[in-house]
Amino acid sequence: MMNPEGCTRCRLSETRRHVLRGEGNMHADVMLIAQAPGRMEDSENRMFIGPSGRMLDRLMACGNIRRDEIYMTNLVKCTLPGNRKPKQREIDACSVYLESEIDEIAPKWLVPLGYYATKYLFARYGLPPFTRAGFSALVGRVFSAGGRTLFPASHPAFLLFHPEAAAGVEEHFKKIGSIVRHGTDTAFS
Ligand code: SF4
């Protein structure tokens, strides 16, 4: 697996403290792919430890999922200044690391969290493009392409600003929990 440590492939290298590597079970069937490390994650060099991480832990508890049962990584490995959106050239530059993780871990299920990770994977696997407004219609649905199965879900940070959406996102994590334990979810069949 390619190691992004010390990477200077894009200008995010100038503003980060740490390059975050993915973490979790190297034999996992399920890979969660978030957008980028937040401020706390950049400071402590750990995945999902800030406010989004606490939300993720709550959602994982809903799905009865332990962190060591899955593999978690980011689309972009360095933090985005001011939590801004990733630029396409940054995603392009960083994608070699994500592709290397997917190749090595070979998860059956890819779970992109949020718009940008889903947009990247849809393009990567030849699925139809969609607009930002169209993303909400994709979450919680199953897509198969290129030998992978994709299950787009909302990013935990979304719930920090939209707590009213909690019930729907919790249902998606219950399905992810079922995938982790049984390889699929009876709700899909
Ligand atoms: S975001 Fe990715 S490509 Fe850019 S410097 Fe960090 S590791 Fe390298």
Side-chain angles (χ1 to χ4, degrees):
M1 185 184 302
M2 284 180 70
N3 183 352
E5 205 174 317
C7 177
T8 55
R9 288 171 62 91
C10 82
R11 294 190 65 179
L12 291 175
S13 61
E14 297 170 10
T15 46
R16 70 174 185 231
R17 289 187 64 184
H18 292 101
V19 184
L20 259 78
R21 304 182 66 169
E23 52 184 64
N25 189 324
M26 301 294 284
H27 305 287
D29 284 339
V30 176
M31 179 184 287
L32 262 55
I33 303 167
Q35 178 173 291
R39 192 173 57 82
M40 284 281 289
E41 287 80 6
D42 179 53
S43 170
E44 302 295 324
N45 199 16
R46 288 289 317 279
M47 286 280 303
F48 273 124
I49 55 165
S52 295
R54 285 191 288 280
M55 183 62 76
L56 177 70
D57 287 340
R58 205 193 94 192
L59 292 167
M60 300 245 289
C62 281
N64 198 19
I65 309 163
R66 299 192 317 269
R67 285 194 181 215
D68 64 3
E69 291 180 304
I70 58 166
Y71 183 88
M72 295 188 295
T73 193
N74 283 299
L75 175 65
V76 171
K77 311 300 186 197
C78 298
T79 195
L80 296 155
N83 240 356
R84 68 162 168 78
K85 297 166 185 158
K87 296 178 176 157
Q88 190 59 47
R89 64 175 177 272
E90 294 161 349
I91 295 170
D92 291 343
C94 210
S95 63
V96 290
Y97 301 114
L98 175 61
E99 291 299 330
S100 164
E101 290 172 294
I102 294 172
D103 281 350
E104 174 135 351
I105 292 161
K108 295 189 183 98
W109 290 77
L110 296 172
V111 180
L113 300 176
Y115 171 70
Y116 284 97
T118 304
K119 184 167 173 262
Y120 172 79
L121 290 178
F122 265 50
R124 167 70 179 80
Y125 292 106
L127 290 163
F130 57 90
T131 62
R132 181 146 198 148
F135 171 65
S136 61
L138 305 181
V139 296
R141 292 173 55 194
V142 178
F143 299 87
S144 294
R148 308 279 180 205
T149 308
L150 275 61
F151 184 67
S154 298
H155 195 285
F158 173 75
L159 282 190
L160 298 175
F161 303 101
H162 297 279
E164 74 283 359
V169 181
E170 287 168 7
E171 280 308 307
H172 298 155
F173 274 78
K174 285 177 187 168
K175 287 185 176 176
I176 296 167
S178 184
I179 293 165
V180 168
R181 283 185 296 282
H182 309 300
T184 187
D185 185 290
T186 50
F188 296 146
S189 53

